């Protein structure tokens, strides 16, 4: 499966949707995005699941539990996608970060992204990259979406005993990293996050190092994803002083090019979208916050990962790309 193509271009998901299953889209998108880290691929997988259900219904198959059917289909398509994507990930230029899911400050996110947006941070998705496709599916279904072992076994086609073993291995492999956020954010937590992002980017734009350092954890990490197509740091940078200087210098440079910063809710955390003078998306930044300070800064400038947000700027694009 590839973005923009379908196994059956003449099929329509309407027959399936008439059964009242469109309400499952946010959950299905969340699972697919958690598996792929790609908004476009997640949307394709969900659509393919609906098309598959339509074909099954048209063929006379009685589907007694549409949610279970669709969840199973999406998870297995996600596993297949990850297996085919491994070679592409191994040859990826620079740091890999997921495509950002964005809701602007003060605005609700798209319905399709609602469940995911507060469950899978960029930091957690990066950790998931160390897992095999099946390990990733088992851990997500059990730890992020709260499925019981019986359901996880049914969805992945493994035994319950095997799923417990797979989960134990997956937990071990990411034990040193931070776990996914649990549950949707309260309005108070979201307001606090948006206020922190506002102060953070104001300090960075104004070159106020003291204010910026007060919001950075001592071991904060800055990661950038340019995909070999846009300017980004070549490898992760660590330490409050170094990260602070890089942020101030980077913002000073793009501000001179007419870039503006608008705070946003990115993958369930505070962040911002940067726009050029023509209103095109130049970058998305997520702040991974814990204990009241920023633990990591994730910056996505790869134009391929920004297209779902609108027209993409060329202010950071590398020559000949």
């Amino acid at each position: 499966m590839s973005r923009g193509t379908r196994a059956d271009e003449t099929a329509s998901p309407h027959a399936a949707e008439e059964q009242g299953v469109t309400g499952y889209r946010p959950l299905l998108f969340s699972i697919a995005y958690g598996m792929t880290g790609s908004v476009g691929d997640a949307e394709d997988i969900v659509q393919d699941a609906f098309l598959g259900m339509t074909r099954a219904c048209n063929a006379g198959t009685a589907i007694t539990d549409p949610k279970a059917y669709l969840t199973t289909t999406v998870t297995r398509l996600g596993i297949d996608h990850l297996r085919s994507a491994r070679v592409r990930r191994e040859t990826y230029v620079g740091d890999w970060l997921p495509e950002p899911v964005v809701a602007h400050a003060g605005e609700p996110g798209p319905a399709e992204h609602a469940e995911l947006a507060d469950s899978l941070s960029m930091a957690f998705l990066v950790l998931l990259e160390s897992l095999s496709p099946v390990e990733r599916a088992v851990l997500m279904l059990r730890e992020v979406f709260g499925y019981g072992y019986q359901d996880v076994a049914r969805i992945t086609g493994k035994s319950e005993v095997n799923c417990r073993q797979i989960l134990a291995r997956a937990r071990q492999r990411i034990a040193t990293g931070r776990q996914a956020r649990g549950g949707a954010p309260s309005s108070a937590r979201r307001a606090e996050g948006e206020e922190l992002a506002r102060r953070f980017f104001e300090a960075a734009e104004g070159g106020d190092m003291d204010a910026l350092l007060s919001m950075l954890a001592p071991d904060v990490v800055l990661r950038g994803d340019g995909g070999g197509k846009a300017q980004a740091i070549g490898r992760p940078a660590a330490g409050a002083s170094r990260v602070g200087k890089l942020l101030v210098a980077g913002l000073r440079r793009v501000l001179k090019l007419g870039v503006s910063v608008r705070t946003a809710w990115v993958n369930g955390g505070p962040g911002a979208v940067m726009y050029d003078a023509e209103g095109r998306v130049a970058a998305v930044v997520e702040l991974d916050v814990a204990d009241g300070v920023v633990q990591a800064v994730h910056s996505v400038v790869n134009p391929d990962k920004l297209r779902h947000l609108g027209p993409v700027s060329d202010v950071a694009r590398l020559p000949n790309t």
Side-chain angles (χ1 to χ4, degrees), residues 11-22 47 50-51 54 58:
S12 167
H14 294 326
E17 294 185 1
E18 285 171 0
Q19 297 188 20
V21 296
T22 53
Q47 186 71 354
F50 276 107
L51 291 171
T54 294
N58 290 341

Side-chain angles (χ1 to χ4, degrees), residues 153 163 166 168 189 192 222 225 282 301-302:
C163 284
I166 291 170
R189 182 170 79 79
E192 289 172 2
L222 170 64
D225 181 344
V301 291
N302 182 346

Side-chain angles (χ1 to χ4, degrees), residues 240-292:
S241 178
R242 185 180 178 200
V243 168
K245 290 176 182 176
L246 286 171
L247 289 171
V248 169
L251 269 174
R252 182 179 295 130
R253 183 171 61 253
V254 297
L255 290 174
K256 289 180 180 178
L257 298 174
V259 169
S260 60
V261 180
R262 182 179 177 186
T263 57
W265 202 246
V266 182
N267 284 64
V273 181
M274 298 185 184
Y275 297 92
D276 68 12
E278 297 178 24
R280 299 174 300 178
V281 180
V284 173
V285 180
E286 183 218 37
L287 307 179
D288 188 26
V289 178
D291 302 322

Side-chain angles (χ1 to χ4, degrees), residues 4-320:
T5 61
R6 296 286 180 271
D8 182 356
E9 293 290 353
T10 63
S12 167
H14 294 326
E17 294 185 1
E18 285 171 0
Q19 297 188 20
V21 296
T22 53
Y24 301 136
R25 277 189 179 273
L27 171 64
L28 299 174
F29 176 87
S30 300
I31 294 171
Y33 177 81
M35 290 294 292
T36 65
S38 165
V39 173
D41 289 332
E43 290 171 344
D44 280 354
I45 285 173
V46 172
Q47 186 71 354
D48 283 343
F50 276 107
L51 291 171
M53 185 173 178
T54 294
R55 289 192 292 269
C57 291
N58 290 341
T61 302
I63 298 175
T64 57
D65 189 341
K67 181 180 179 182
Y69 181 96
L70 290 166
T71 301
T72 300
T73 302
V74 164
T75 301
R76 294 183 182 182
L77 286 173
I79 290 172
D80 290 343
H81 174 89
L82 273 184
R83 286 171 174 159
S84 68
R86 285 297 181 186
V87 174
R88 296 198 301 274
R89 296 280 172 87
E90 289 169 2
T91 58
Y92 194 80
V93 178
D95 254 353
W96 178 92
L97 292 173
E99 290 182 9
V101 174
V102 173
H104 287 293
E107 300 176 359
E112 289 80 4
H113 304 166
E115 294 195 24
L116 129 99
D118 306 301
S119 301
L120 296 172
S121 69
M122 284 195 175
F124 186 64
L125 286 169
V126 170
L127 287 174
L128 292 182
E129 286 293 295
S130 68
L131 304 180
S132 73
V134 173
E135 287 174 337
R136 185 165 180 159
V138 169
L139 185 137
M140 278 210 334
L141 291 169
R142 177 65 181 160
E143 301 276 280
V144 178
F145 298 104
Y147 280 89
Y149 282 108
Q150 184 176 4
D151 290 325
V152 174
R154 171 184 53 75
I155 292 169
T156 59
K158 306 292 182 181
S159 69
E160 288 188 47
V161 171
N162 197 4
C163 284
R164 291 178 186 273
Q165 294 170 339
I166 291 170
L167 180 62
R169 287 200 305 269
R171 282 173 171 167
Q172 256 187 335
R173 293 182 67 175
I174 65 169
T176 56
R178 298 179 64 240
Q179 300 298 308
R181 297 178 179 91
S186 65
S187 57
R189 182 170 79 79
R190 179 158 182 164
E192 289 172 2
E194 290 175 356
E195 173 60 18
L196 183 146
R198 184 191 64 76
R199 291 188 291 109
F200 181 91
F201 289 105
E202 279 187 0
E205 288 181 62
D208 188 342
M209 282 297 295
D210 289 339
L212 192 59
L213 290 174
S214 72
M215 290 180 271
L216 295 173
D219 57 350
V220 63
V221 176
L222 170 64
R223 301 185 67 175
D225 181 344
K229 298 181 179 182
Q231 298 175 44
I233 58 173
R235 61 186 65 184
S241 178
R242 185 180 178 200
V243 168
K245 290 176 182 176
L246 286 171
L247 289 171
V248 169
L251 269 174
R252 182 179 295 130
R253 183 171 61 253
V254 297
L255 290 174
K256 289 180 180 178
L257 298 174
V259 169
S260 60
V261 180
R262 182 179 177 186
T263 57
W265 202 246
V266 182
N267 284 64
V273 181
M274 298 185 184
Y275 297 92
D276 68 12
E278 297 178 24
R280 299 174 300 178
V281 180
V284 173
V285 180
E286 183 218 37
L287 307 179
D288 188 26
V289 178
D291 302 322
V293 292
V294 177
Q295 306 288 336
V297 181
H298 301 103
S299 174
V300 179
V301 291
N302 182 346
D304 294 342
K305 295 186 176 183
L306 302 175
R307 298 190 195 287
H308 63 287
L309 299 174
V312 179
S313 174
D314 57 4
V315 296
R317 190 180 290 273
L318 294 171
N320 303 318

